[in-house]
Amino acid sequence: MTQINAIDTGHEEIIHDAQLDYYGIRLATCSSDKSIKIFDVSNSQQRLIAELKGHEGPVWQLSWSHPTFGSLLASCSYDRKVLIWKETTPTGLPPQSNPTGATQYSVIYEHERHTSSVNTVAWAPYEYGLMLACGSSDGSISILSSTGDGKWTTRKVPDCHPPGVNALSWAPAVLPQSSDDAGVQGTTGEPVKRFVSGGCDCLIRIWKEQDDGWVEETHLDQHNDWVRDVAWAPTFSFHKDKIASCSQDGNVYVFTRDTRLSNNWECITIGTHFNDVWSVSWSLTGDILAVAAADKVSLWKLGLDGKYQCLTTPQTSSTSTGSPSVNSTMESTTGESGNIPVMAT
Amino acid sequence: MQKAEIHWSPNDRNQLAEIGAEIIIHTFDRPLSGESGKCVLGGTNKKTTSLNYPLHEKNNIKCCAWWPSQEYPYVFAIGQPNGRIIFENVKDRSDPLSQGRIVIDTKQGRPCVALAWNPKIPNLLLSGFDRYRSENCLSVWDINHNGMSSPSLQTGTGITSSSSSNVDEYKRVDMLMHNQQVWKPIFDHGLNEQCHSLAWFKPNEKIFAACTTAHNQRNIRVYDIRVPSTHVISFPTKAPFNLCCDSSERYIAASVDKTIYVYDSRVPEKALIVREEHEPIVKLSWSRIGSSQLGYCIRDSPKFHVLSVSTNDTDIFVHRILQCPIQRYRIGLASFDWNYFDEHRLVLLSGKEYFDYVIPSRSTICYSPRNGLLWTNGLEMYPSVINQDHTQLTSKVLLTYNLSNVQNDRRNLTPTQSTLNTELIQMDLKTMTKETQMTIEQIERWIKNANTTRDPYPFVGVIEALREAQPSSTSTLTHQSWTSTGNSTHTKTVYESPERQIVSQLCGWSNVDTKSGGYDRMASLLEQDEYEKVAALYIFQMNVNKALEVLNEGLQRGGKEELATLILALVGSIRATSTNNDDNTLINDFSSVTKLFHRPYVRSMFAFILTQDGNDLQYECVLDEQLDLNDKVAFAARYLNDDRLYDKLDKLADESRKKGDLQGILLTGLRQNGCELIQKYLDQTNDIRTAALLAIYVPEDVHQECQYVQEWIEGFRLLLDELQLWSERAEFDIYRSHVTGTTPHRRHHDRSMNMNHHFSCIFCQTPLEAHHGMSNQTSTTNSSSTPIPTTPSKPQGRGSQPNNQNRSSGSSSYAPPPNSELLMVCAKCRQVLPRCSICMMNLTTYIEDASYAYEPPPDKHALMSSQWFTWCRLCRHGGHAEHVSNWFAMNEQCPIAKCLCRCTLIDGVFF
């Protein structure tokens, strides 16, 4: 049973991104109206807890850091900036005198080294510490990192996708696999940091850190139009990499690599043409791929025949056949909204 | 007009005119989604040509404008090079308007360069001309009135904007146009100037904008036709072409060659935006409805560019490039036009192809640990596109394992050692697919069987078990004959040894054995009405009577008629083999017929019966069939000699390892091969839960060889953390420690000691020995005798710490013992052990109920349990979870004096 209830975010213009934090408790949305809104969704209802204004242009994308770092929020915008937000309390006020329970976020870092719109932003796996990558229409990608002392170092990789970078995704942190002649496998050393990017040059490029710099490991040229989104799948294997990508050309591909066998990426196409496909996303275990295209979302899973099979395509129109359980909770929770404890924050 | 121009109909949302040598009306077939003004996204290409209107020779088109009129939807005003404006009704050629009979003739032979109907007041036609001596270049005509007897425009009475009166208007037009040969504009301006382009700016207020050249000075001017004498706004510009105005009546855009200028009418002196392209601008146009979007295309480029403007206080232009969706050969986009009715909709013309296109709104998705899948589309956001109980399939895939429900059941169980061993697996099974479930149940049985029959705990697998035994015990060879026929001469060679016996037990072939945990495979198969399968299994054990009995039983219970056929065939084939060895023809007949059976068990059953006996048989006819792996293994263990058996088992193990078939664990055991098999399974299914549960049983020495085993466990724990299934994670940890706690070197400890090793000093990892005087108090205070190792799942340590440290500290398990003397100091390293910062008691102290101290918050988080304790990752202060949560319900600073850490800001879990 498909049940879809649209949330009213109150954004005045198109929402460009919505991201949940690690635990799925806070929801951040960003829009062309230059604002970012933070919702508390812990009680299966949405409560606006903060509205962040700081960007001077449409905000394209958001990314929550791992809670180890206190759930920082990074946002990127048409105004060429990347802002990193942190939840703060208004100083000098004892918590009890703050009856609204309003949560405040303040910008702890501002990155303005791009010369054009910054289209994508993504925190690295927490194992690497505070590290952030952002890609811009000026074709470059910046890697920001901090040891947590408030100072940020930036490493800029120029000309990654000369016509512009559209999407970024970090590889999960897994230790590199070594395999000796006897076939005994083990792990060696530090994990190699990798991420994948897609851009307007119709290419997908895979980058890895090497000698304090970032080099292109390989690129994939299956797409023949702009790459809209890339997503590196979470994995439980040391030696398996999986990337999904979607492009303006209407194709969605999944690239896999088994580093035990070779370093070449194999391409599996999802055998459907998508109109205006925008976004791809892996489930937490990396087995289900969700594809957002035009006005519908579809789920895909690799079948035993080696082809991706569509699991479901939920309909957009909310029908009266919605599951009553969700409906009732929505109603009851909105009715009890006064009972939300005012937390001193 | 040199090249084709395209123009949406202002009267019909799906019609389009192609204006070239002729006027062609195309109609797009576009299903509407039901709501007005909203179309199905994407594009359709289906196009029908409804009208084809060849123009007359004399009707040279210089410019063209479609009359917005519901009543007469196909009337065009056509500006000609000779300065005439004619009207054509392309639908009805007999219409008096057509064939150039109605003419606004400006007499001077200067070209008419631009025409525009007022979209709101459709009887006003704006026209622009080239320069001609001392003539005005801008004229507005009121087709209701020829100007000769014009009522005062300022009164506003003579002009209606409602389309309902268009019939009358049109009739008047008809009449007037016939009667009046000389037309007079109601507005005339631009003396001795040259008009380049023009557009209505504020149609309702009869204000328009035009770009004109006077004395080599180009200006964009805004005129109000109610103010006939002069312009309203005037500013110089470099861009004279493609002038257009946005629907919010604020911005004016124009282009010259490769550059686009956008002006704000309130501050027109300086261009708001100047945008230079690589190639000349072909067309530039504001969207006609909805938010202001400026579209343009450039020469030889397949890309369609959009500048969208947000209507907030500060102007922001966003550059967005859309590839023309129909271009296949990189043909440049020739033209486009915004639709009058539907927002974001436009038609794109590339080569000869049209594409009816709606600019897609951005839609994004992200997975949520709590809600499934979050989807945003345009202005809307859907919190859970896929509900957790959407289908069986998706609920499984989205990993909402819903462990908590099952967990309540198991609380009622008495946690004796034996149930603890398997209950986690049992709990899990309820949410698995049947197939996986069966497999895991089987593995569980193997593990249990192996436990009872062999001393060392780990399940080594059939191959290993046989190999180990090989040098000491050899298989004995017997000849067994069919039990039903006493006079049978036909025998089968059967190999027997204690190890082979164990194998067949593991495979569920012997139901006489009481050690197999009460599990009767035959019975459970019979419950599923698998009579043929059971019969085949009895036949494989040469128990014909039992097989026939089963088939009879099936027949009586309403089985299919096929079963009767089977009984006959069975009896017949056994007779055939037993009567006389010379009667090979009968056997051949039987085997050729029985090969036609569809079901593998039936087919292999007969193949087995009809095989001639020998010492070195391979039984491909059985072992290569699609039988369950354990049946194959048991069969092989019974009828293959040692060499053949090992070959076959190795081959089977290899196959299942390559396929990632979990059943293969029977053969490989949980040694390295088995781990590789599980990894393969994991690669295919991403079923980390199954892998982690199996990994618990993987012995420690294998962990060294296959470090990924540890990764499964860690991955599963992290996943449970992310899903906030902390209790489940804790249970998993406890379960794990119980399993590993039964390894040989720990098994001498009694139960209380077993529990004690759950907590260890955080500094030196020494297990904390509980004081001995406590034992008599234990049973009264401890409601749940399961100690919960806590560390509520928040990733420990800061990011700067190395990875492995992170994990080890996260997994260091403490538990409040039932009751204990205060353990303030570690006996070994003398470090002070952590204490609860609220009650100052040792963390190993069990607290019964903390609510006496504070009013419990109304909405206590489910996590909070008196059995847990927690601490802040930053300041490392913490205490009993309930104490701490109560504290932070009313305070936000750390309870430790002088510690300024605002612990709760770190993450939102407390709320």
Side-chain angles (χ1 to χ4, degrees):
Chain A
M1 191 58 67
T2 306
Q3 172 63 33
I4 297 176
N5 287 309
I7 299 179
D8 182 18
T9 56
H11 278 295
E12 288 159 27
E13 291 185 49
I14 285 176
I15 302 165
H16 291 292
D17 199 14
Q19 289 293 329
L20 287 144
D21 69 351
Y22 183 81
Y23 292 119
I25 290 169
R26 299 248 161 120
L27 169 70
T29 60
C30 63
S31 155
S32 268
D33 65 12
K34 300 176 234 169
S35 71
I36 299 165
K37 294 190 179 186
I38 314 264
F39 296 87
D40 181 350
V41 291
S42 55
N43 295 319
S44 71
Q45 64 173 12
Q46 298 78 41
R47 186 170 62 100
L48 180 69
I49 54 172
E51 185 168 358
L52 322 185
K53 294 197 168 172
H55 280 296
E56 291 149 36
V59 188
W60 295 135
Q61 217 175 56
L62 302 166
S63 179
W64 288 98
S65 73
H66 194 272
T68 302
F69 312 109
S71 290
L72 304 177
L73 180 69
S75 60
C76 64
S77 160
Y78 182 76
D79 66 5
R80 304 169 198 172
K81 280 187 235 167
V82 173
L83 299 182
I84 299 174
W85 307 79
K86 187 179 168 62
E87 192 178 334
T88 51
T89 350
T91 47
L93 281 174
Q96 284 81 359
S97 66
N98 186 9
T100 58
T103 314
Q104 290 201 353
Y105 281 81
S106 59
V107 175
I108 58 164
Y109 186 68
E110 192 170 321
H111 172 66
E112 321 179 79
R113 302 239 326 247
H114 285 286
T115 57
S116 186
S117 165
V118 185
N119 299 326
T120 179
V121 65
W123 288 101
Y126 78 96
E127 290 92 339
Y128 305 154
L130 266 180
M131 184 175 271
L132 176 80
C134 52
S136 160
S137 284
D138 65 13
S140 65
I141 291 173
S142 299
I143 315 288
L144 280 63
S145 57
S146 169
T147 52
D149 55 0
K151 286 184 192 133
W152 292 79
T153 49
T154 307
R155 222 181 282 146
K156 200 164 169 184
V157 191
D159 297 325
C160 296
H161 297 267
V165 185
N166 287 338
L168 271 178
S169 179
W170 286 86
V174 287
L175 295 171
Q177 186 79 4
S178 70
S179 181
D180 59 23
D181 296 335
V184 175
Q185 278 144 12
T187 52
T188 49
E190 291 279 297
V192 177
K193 302 186 181 82
R194 281 196 179 84
F195 64 86
V196 59
S197 64
C200 300
D201 54 1
C202 314
L203 292 178
I204 294 162
R205 295 178 197 266
I206 291 159
W207 306 83
K208 72 170 177 185
E209 194 183 42
Q210 200 172 61
D211 308 328
D212 272 6
W214 291 85
V215 293
E216 184 186 319
E217 188 174 67
T218 182
H219 66 262
L220 308 166
D221 58 359
Q222 269 80 358
H223 286 295
N224 51 34
D225 208 329
W226 291 13
V227 180
R228 278 275 169 227
D229 198 10
V230 288
W232 205 307
T235 181
F236 300 108
S237 308
F238 285 117
H239 43 76
K240 281 253 180 173
D241 289 313
K242 190 157 66 174
I243 294 172
S245 71
C246 66
S247 155
Q248 189 88 24
D249 64 16
N251 290 321
V252 175
Y253 294 123
V254 175
F255 299 93
T256 54
R257 172 172 80 163
D258 190 336
T259 47
R260 283 177 305 186
L261 305 175
S262 75
N263 277 327
N264 294 330
W265 292 85
E266 278 172 42
C267 174
I268 308 170
T269 177
I270 288 186
T272 307
H273 183 88
F274 295 89
N275 281 327
D276 311 310
V277 55
W278 272 101
S279 169
V280 285
S281 174
W282 290 101
S283 66
L284 296 176
T285 47
D287 53 345
I288 309 295
L289 178 68
V291 178
D295 55 354
K296 60 171 178 283
V297 172
S298 50
L299 295 181
W300 300 83
K301 188 180 199 302
L302 189 64
L304 291 172
D305 56 354
K307 286 181 185 149
Y308 274 85
Q309 288 160 349
C310 187
L311 296 177
T312 173
T313 308
Q315 298 302 307
T316 45
S317 53
S318 4
T319 55
S320 55
T321 56
S323 95
S325 63
V326 174
N327 273 335
S328 59
T329 50
M330 290 296 280
E331 281 159 21
S332 64
T333 46
T334 45
E336 291 166 4
S337 59
N339 289 344
I340 297 168
V342 178
M343 293 314 246
T345 47
Chain B
M1 191 171 275
Q2 294 87 4
K3 63 182 175 98
E5 187 47 76
I6 50 177
H7 202 295
W8 278 107
S9 166
N11 309 315
D12 184 319
R13 58 158 41 92
N14 290 324
Q15 283 191 337
L16 177 82
E18 175 188 338
I19 302 146
E22 51 191 2
I23 294 177
I24 304 167
I25 308 286
H26 300 296
T27 306
F28 285 100
D29 181 15
R30 172 180 281 276
L32 287 171
S33 67
E35 294 168 59
S36 62
K38 192 178 173 190
C39 331
V40 175
L41 290 176
T44 53
N45 228 344
K46 201 172 169 193
K47 176 187 76 174
T48 50
T49 306
S50 58
L51 278 172
N52 208 331
Y53 187 85
L55 295 167
H56 303 275
E57 278 293 317
K58 57 182 181 181
N59 295 355
N60 268 326
I61 300 179
K62 183 78 179 162
C63 54
C64 186
W66 196 328
W67 191 25
S69 155
Q70 290 297 324
E71 194 65 30
Y72 292 90
Y74 299 103
V75 174
F76 290 81
I78 297 170
Q80 297 188 314
N82 57 7
R84 289 167 22 132
I85 300 168
I86 60 169
F87 297 90
E88 296 274 358
N89 185 338
V90 299
K91 178 92 173 212
D92 182 8
R93 310 185 99 191
S94 60
D95 189 288
L97 271 175
S98 289
Q99 299 160 19
R101 276 190 263 154
I102 310 298
V103 170
I104 297 177
D105 201 338
T106 56
K107 288 195 179 123
Q108 296 81 12
R110 54 190 182 148
C112 175
V113 295
L115 283 174
W117 291 100
N118 186 320
K120 299 282 164 54
I121 310 167
N123 51 333
L124 296 184
L125 177 65
L126 172 63
S127 63
F129 298 92
D130 250 349
R131 178 163 48 183
Y132 186 78
R133 290 183 196 155
S134 54
E135 290 287 334
N136 286 320
C137 73
L138 296 169
S139 308
V140 177
W141 313 87
D142 182 353
I143 57 164
N144 284 354
H145 310 279
N146 62 5
M148 300 297 280
S149 55
S150 165
S152 165
L153 277 168
Q154 281 78 5
T155 62
T157 51
I159 297 164
T160 57
S161 59
S162 97
S163 59
S164 62
S165 61
N166 269 348
V167 188
D168 299 332
E169 283 169 22
Y170 182 70
K171 280 176 181 155
R172 270 182 289 155
V173 171
D174 192 22
M175 190 176 66
L176 288 166
M177 282 178 173
H178 279 286
N179 295 339
Q180 301 294 333
Q181 293 304 307
V182 181
W183 283 73
K184 203 176 166 198
I186 57 167
F187 178 86
D188 218 5
H189 212 278
L191 189 68
N192 209 11
E193 290 179 11
Q194 181 189 1
C195 171
H196 298 288
S197 54
L198 48 76
W200 287 97
F201 181 49
K202 294 178 181 173
N204 278 329
E205 296 168 42
K206 304 178 200 117
I207 292 172
F208 69 93
C211 180
T212 55
T213 304
H215 311 295
N216 291 328
Q217 173 64 50
R218 284 169 179 166
N219 290 303
I220 289 176
R221 286 184 174 144
V222 176
Y223 300 91
D224 186 340
I225 63 173
R226 295 166 298 190
V227 186
S229 53
T230 180
H231 51 78
V232 183
I233 302 168
S234 172
F235 53 93
T237 183
K238 288 178 187 156
F241 305 115
N242 287 319
L243 181 87
C244 51
C245 306
D246 84 316
S247 55
S248 70
E249 305 184 345
R250 187 168 155 190
Y251 303 104
I252 299 169
S255 71
V256 60
D257 194 30
K258 299 175 184 174
T259 315
I260 295 167
Y261 293 82
V262 180
Y263 300 92
D264 184 343
S265 62
R266 296 175 303 185
V267 204
E269 292 76 24
K270 188 172 174 296
L272 192 68
I273 193 166
V274 179
R275 185 156 193 101
E276 193 148 356
E277 295 290 342
H278 304 294
E279 291 287 337
I281 309 294
V282 174
K283 184 163 179 179
L284 178 76
S285 174
W286 286 98
S287 60
R288 293 198 164 94
I289 189 164
S291 61
S292 298
Q293 302 186 83
L294 180 65
Y296 63 95
C297 55
I298 60 179
R299 199 175 69 195
D300 296 333
S301 162
K303 284 164 185 150
F304 176 68
H305 301 250
V306 182
L307 296 172
S308 57
V309 51
S310 79
T311 47
N312 283 13
D313 295 339
T314 49
D315 304 289
I316 291 298
F317 285 85
V318 175
H319 192 221
R320 182 167 165 188
I321 305 175
L322 300 164
Q323 201 102 15
C324 174
I326 42 166
Q327 68 90 23
R328 292 182 196 123
Y329 316 104
R330 305 259 156 193
I331 303 172
L333 194 57
S335 189
F336 69 93
D337 197 38
W338 294 95
N339 193 280
Y340 282 83
F341 298 93
D342 300 326
E343 196 176 354
H344 302 308
R345 179 179 177 187
L346 44 89
V347 65
L348 301 168
L349 172 62
S350 169
K352 280 276 157 201
E353 281 185 280
Y354 287 91
F355 201 71
D356 182 5
Y357 190 67
V358 174
I359 296 177
S361 57
R362 185 169 176 144
S363 83
T364 56
I365 38 178
C366 71
Y367 269 97
S368 148
R370 295 165 68 97
N371 298 322
L373 193 60
L374 180 89
W375 178 40
T376 54
N377 186 21
L379 267 169
E380 291 159 328
M381 181 164 68
Y382 303 94
S384 53
V385 177
I386 292 141
N387 213 10
Q388 291 174 358
D389 54 1
H390 177 215
T391 61
Q392 233 183 347
L393 198 58
T394 47
S395 70
K396 179 179 159 281
V397 292
L398 289 177
L399 227 152
T400 48
Y401 280 120
N402 203 12
L403 294 172
S404 43
N405 290 344
V406 195
Q407 191 196 351
N408 291 334
D409 304 344
R410 62 159 298 212
R411 284 256 160 83
N412 303 329
L413 297 171
T414 45
T416 63
Q417 199 74 17
S418 60
T419 51
L420 266 179
N421 249 347
T422 51
E423 65 193 329
L424 189 71
I425 286 184
Q426 283 166 352
M427 159 176 104
D428 255 342
L429 292 179
K430 298 191 181 174
T431 53
M432 284 181 176
T433 59
K434 209 176 157 203
E435 243 168 77
T436 332
Q437 187 180 336
M438 302 262 288
T439 310
I440 301 215
E441 270 172 355
Q442 224 163 34
I443 292 169
E444 183 192 317
R445 270 196 311 278
W446 298 333
I447 291 166
K448 269 161 82 181
N449 280 1
N451 256 340
T452 50
T453 52
R454 293 166 53 90
D455 187 44
Y457 154 71
F459 176 61
V460 293
V462 165
I463 295 179
E464 195 89 353
L466 287 173
R467 285 250 160 82
E468 274 176 24
Q470 196 180 12
S472 59
S473 76
T474 46
S475 311
T476 54
L477 190 149
T478 57
H479 294 281
Q480 197 177 345
S481 61
W482 297 101
T483 49
S484 68
T485 50
N487 60 343
S488 171
T489 54
H490 190 72
T491 57
K492 300 275 180 196
T493 312
V494 175
Y495 297 88
E496 279 176 349
S497 73
E499 287 73 31
R500 287 178 186 247
Q501 187 61 34
I502 289 171
V503 170
S504 74
Q505 272 175 28
L506 283 176
C507 297
W509 268 35
S510 57
N511 52 353
V512 283
D513 179 47
T514 49
K515 289 182 193 164
S516 59
Y519 172 75
D520 189 341
R521 173 142 185 264
M522 302 293 186
S524 74
L525 282 172
L526 282 179
E527 269 170 31
Q528 299 162 30
D529 290 344
E530 297 265 18
Y531 304 109
E532 295 158 30
K533 200 167 174 178
V534 175
L537 292 180
Y538 280 118
I539 290 292
F540 291 151
Q541 294 171 64
M542 303 197 65
N543 194 341
V544 179
N545 290 337
K546 204 81 166 118
L548 292 173
E549 204 176 283
V550 165
L551 290 175
N552 267 322
E553 191 190 331
L555 206 56
Q556 279 159 19
R557 279 207 228 160
K560 285 170 289 180
E561 212 166 292
E562 268 176 44
L563 291 178
T565 324
L566 264 185
I567 294 172
L568 292 177
L570 253 183
V571 175
S573 59
I574 287 170
R575 289 266 170 212
T577 55
S578 18
T579 44
N580 202 325
N581 285 349
D582 300 335
D583 203 0
N584 270 341
T585 47
L586 191 55
I587 292 180
N588 288 342
D589 284 348
F590 262 107
S591 57
S592 59
V593 170
T594 52
K595 269 179 192 147
L596 298 176
F597 279 110
H598 288 294
R599 310 181 68 171
Y601 272 90
V602 177
R603 205 163 47 211
S604 56
M605 172 169 77
F606 285 108
F608 169 70
I609 293 169
L610 297 168
T611 309
Q612 301 283 351
D613 192 28
N615 278 347
D616 193 26
L617 284 176
Q618 291 195 45
Y619 286 110
E620 289 98 339
C621 54
V622 177
L623 293 174
D624 292 352
E625 284 281 3
Q626 298 272 320
L627 309 185
D628 291 346
L629 185 75
N630 51 349
D631 290 332
K632 284 192 196 183
V633 172
F635 185 91
R638 196 171 153 92
Y639 295 108
L640 296 189
N641 66 29
D642 285 353
D643 293 342
R644 292 245 180 252
L645 174 62
Y646 295 136
D647 275 2
K648 189 66 202 175
L649 293 185
D650 281 342
K651 219 178 279 172
L652 286 173
D654 216 42
E655 267 172 31
S656 51
R657 200 176 61 190
K658 276 185 187 136
K659 279 195 293 188
D661 178 5
L662 284 183
Q663 295 223 351
I665 290 176
L666 170 68
L667 294 167
T668 60
L670 289 168
R671 311 290 307 176
Q672 193 184 342
N673 280 343
C675 292
E676 280 170 30
L677 188 152
I678 298 171
Q679 178 70 64
K680 184 77 194 179
Y681 168 79
L682 186 56
D683 289 347
Q684 284 172 355
T685 61
N686 285 57
D687 183 1
I688 184 67
R689 179 178 56 170
T690 306
L693 290 175
L694 291 174
I696 291 174
Y697 295 103
V698 174
E700 266 172 45
D701 54 323
V702 181
H703 282 242
Q704 302 300 318
E705 295 161 39
C706 312
Q707 291 185 356
Y708 47 82
V709 174
Q710 201 60 39
E711 201 74 7
W712 302 338
I713 295 172
E714 288 304 327
F716 184 51
R717 294 175 73 239
L718 286 177
L719 189 68
L720 289 178
D721 282 355
E722 188 160 357
L723 296 170
Q724 300 182 48
L725 298 172
W726 292 315
S727 301
E728 285 75 13
R729 203 210 68 176
E731 306 243 344
F732 177 75
D733 286 343
I734 295 165
Y735 174 51
R736 197 158 54 104
S737 68
H738 272 289
V739 170
T740 50
T742 56
T743 47
H745 68 276
R746 289 245 172 92
R747 59 168 35 181
H748 304 298
H749 294 250
D750 62 14
R751 186 161 156 261
S752 66
M753 294 300 276
N754 252 340
M755 284 163 54
N756 282 339
H757 75 251
H758 282 303
F759 36 105
S760 52
C761 173
I762 48 166
F763 301 104
C764 63
Q765 310 297 329
T766 313
L768 295 177
E769 296 291 329
H771 286 237
H772 300 290
M774 68 179 218
S775 52
N776 48 358
Q777 296 164 14
T778 311
S779 54
T780 53
T781 48
N782 194 1
S783 56
S784 155
S785 55
T786 310
I788 310 269
T790 52
T791 61
S793 73
K794 298 176 197 172
Q796 303 297 311
R798 301 188 194 191
S800 54
Q801 287 183 353
N803 183 21
N804 50 359
Q805 255 190 21
N806 247 342
R807 288 192 172 164
S808 66
S809 78
S811 63
S812 73
S813 48
Y814 294 9
N819 191 0
S820 72
E821 306 283 310
L822 298 187
L823 287 171
M824 306 299 278
V825 175
C826 171
K828 190 179 176 197
C829 63
R830 294 284 159 198
Q831 291 274 14
V832 178
L833 291 173
R835 288 182 296 172
C836 174
S837 49
I838 311 287
C839 64
M840 302 311 268
M841 297 292 269
N842 191 287
L843 281 184
T844 56
T845 314
Y846 174 77
I847 54 162
E848 213 159 324
D849 186 8
S851 54
Y852 61 88
Y854 306 97
E855 274 298 298
D859 184 26
K860 208 157 55 167
H861 196 284
L863 152 75
M864 294 317 158
S865 149
S866 56
Q867 296 174 323
W868 293 71
F869 43 88
T870 183
W871 59 84
C872 171
R873 292 187 314 277
L874 286 183
C875 68
R876 297 283 185 167
H877 296 137
H880 294 111
E882 191 150 352
H883 290 163
V884 172
S885 71
N886 284 336
W887 171 269
F888 283 117
M890 278 171 268
N891 302 282
E892 61 172 7
Q893 276 193 350
C894 181
I896 296 292
K898 290 183 187 170
C899 175
L900 297 175
C901 179
R902 293 171 190 275
C903 312
T904 48
L905 297 186
I906 303 303
D907 65 50
V909 168
F910 267 100
F911 303 99

